[in-house]
Amino acid sequence: MTATPDAMRAWVVGTPGPITTAPLRLLERATPQPGPHDVLLRVRACGVCRTDLHLAEGDLPPHRALCTPGHEVVGEVTAAGPAVSGFVVGDRVGAAWLAGTCGHCRHCRTGRENLCPKSRYTGWDADGGYADYVVVDARYAYRLPDGWSDEDAAPLLCAGIIGYRALRRADLPSGGRLGIYGFGAAAHLTAQLAVARGAEVHVVTRSPRAQELARELGAASAGSGEPPVALDSAILFAPAGSLVPTALEALDRGGTLAVAGIHLSAIPPLDYVRHLFQERTVRSVTANTREDGRSFLREAAKLRPSVRVTRYPMARAGRELEDLAAGRVTGAAVLVGK
């Protein structure tokens, strides 16, 4: 087995700003060492999330200087702390957005650890996977389903998990009609999950390529205008607050809208009768619990959703964020290799 080097390469957010100003910088850093509950992972692939773009551009305030982004990490365990159980050197492990919680607040004690006030996040509070190596608390890591390539497994760790939670929050009835607004990495996995459960899925996106992919993956309709039927539930993946009243107005009586982004532009004023009356509901989606992650990965192992991946070399990180910002990524982007 190759010895772990003393130094590694890592991309960091220098001065946050428009992605065209190249806010990511490549540094050489000491390879981190695992603590008692940690595993050290050699990064094999790292999925790209819109949250990485929000961090790089400053939409989300940095929690620490020169933080390495990336929270859809597939890696190989090269070292483990003495308190680690369940993983050994050589295992393939997934690291996701939720990196730690306090474990004893009222939210943690009632199965709502995603709402823990002291929650920590990979690539925001702790260095993430845009690097050669990353340290992860093994209690928040995932064993990945067999049969997935590293590149295809990476988007499952945030796009898949957060889409799974958003679908839960949308309260979709059995055989119901689901609207999906925006069709990126999370949406293309969530749509397949909903179709497999018997839902009728309608996708709203401006991208002709994304519309084509949505129809290919089983959507009943895909276009840039309003859905052709009244919706029982909707999920807003696009970070556009202007779409909140649009999605609410498309709901049937008693429908639910789940807003799945960590960052959203300003929401216009809502009209009570048009948007909320007749018991329409709007809900936010905040991170996920570990049980969400485990449940989704079990379901994905059975469903085997198609993961549409565009690969980018780790050595040129930043280009994928430019493409994401410009709407040039269909499906999911993943950083791989050197």
Side-chain angles (χ1 to χ4, degrees):
M1 184 173 294
T2 304
T4 303
D6 294 330
M8 68 170 192
R9 297 166 306 161
W11 290 93
V12 301
V13 178
T15 301
I19 198 62
T20 53
T21 66
L24 293 188
R25 295 165 46 194
L26 183 62
L27 302 180
E28 183 174 283
R29 284 180 158 175
T31 303
Q33 299 301 308
H37 292 281
D38 298 335
V39 288
L40 176 66
L41 304 183
R42 180 179 65 82
V43 176
R44 290 164 40 165
C46 185
V48 178
C49 178
R50 186 166 290 274
T51 299
D52 302 329
L53 178 62
H54 291 318
L55 289 167
E57 294 198 315
D59 295 325
L60 297 179
H63 282 182
R64 55 197 299 266
L66 300 180
C67 186
T68 297
H71 55 272
E72 298 178 335
V73 187
V74 176
E76 178 185 345
V77 177
T78 62
V84 170
S85 62
F87 297 115
V88 298
V89 171
D91 281 349
R92 188 174 74 149
V93 170
W97 178 234
L98 187 66
T101 57
C102 75
H104 56 75
C105 71
R106 60 193 294 260
H107 304 290
C108 288
R109 294 197 313 269
T110 55
R112 299 175 296 157
E113 64 181 2
N114 60 307
L115 302 180
C116 175
K118 295 183 179 179
S119 54
R120 301 175 64 253
Y121 299 98
T122 309
W124 197 12
D125 299 287
D127 286 327
Y130 284 34
D132 293 329
Y133 290 86
V134 62
V135 162
V136 178
D137 187 329
R139 295 169 294 184
Y140 293 82
Y142 297 96
R143 189 171 298 279
L144 298 171
D146 295 330
W148 297 82
S149 69
D150 297 335
E151 295 91 339
D152 286 352
L156 302 180
L157 291 161
C158 180
I161 293 173
I162 203 65
Y164 175 88
R165 184 167 185 86
L167 189 56
R168 284 184 55 199
R169 294 285 289 164
D171 202 17
L172 179 66
S174 178
R177 296 166 171 172
L178 174 68
I180 293 180
Y181 291 78
F183 204 72
H188 95 288
L189 294 172
T190 308
Q192 294 176 73
L193 191 62
V195 168
R197 293 179 178 182
E200 180 183 311
V201 175
H202 299 272
V203 171
V204 178
T205 175
R206 293 178 297 182
S207 167
R209 289 191 302 169
Q211 293 171 15
E212 181 180 354
L213 177 59
R215 288 188 289 266
E216 182 181 336
L217 295 177
S221 74
S224 58
E226 64 182 60
V229 295
L231 305 172
D232 297 302
S233 303
I235 302 173
L236 176 57
F237 286 110
S242 60
L243 290 176
V244 169
T246 300
L248 284 170
E249 197 165 358
L251 291 176
D252 203 350
R253 298 179 178 207
T256 300
L257 168 64
V259 181
I262 190 173
H263 170 78
L264 194 70
S265 60
I267 299 174
L270 300 179
D271 179 272
Y272 179 65
V273 172
R274 289 173 57 198
H275 303 128
L276 296 173
F277 193 53
Q278 303 292 354
E279 299 192 351
R280 295 175 179 87
T281 301
V282 59
R283 292 174 166 177
S284 66
V285 180
T286 301
N288 61 273
T289 66
R290 283 171 285 178
E291 183 52 38
D292 288 329
R294 290 187 286 263
S295 295
F296 168 70
L297 290 172
R298 285 194 296 267
E299 191 163 348
K302 296 176 183 177
L303 175 61
R304 308 294 299 182
S306 174
V307 185
R308 300 304 172 92
V309 168
T310 301
R311 295 163 178 81
Y312 293 83
M314 182 72 78
R316 297 180 62 189
R319 178 184 171 190
E320 78 293 345
L321 295 181
E322 292 182 16
D323 286 349
L324 187 62
R328 292 190 290 264
V329 176
T330 302
V334 178
L335 294 170
V336 295
K338 301 296 184 180

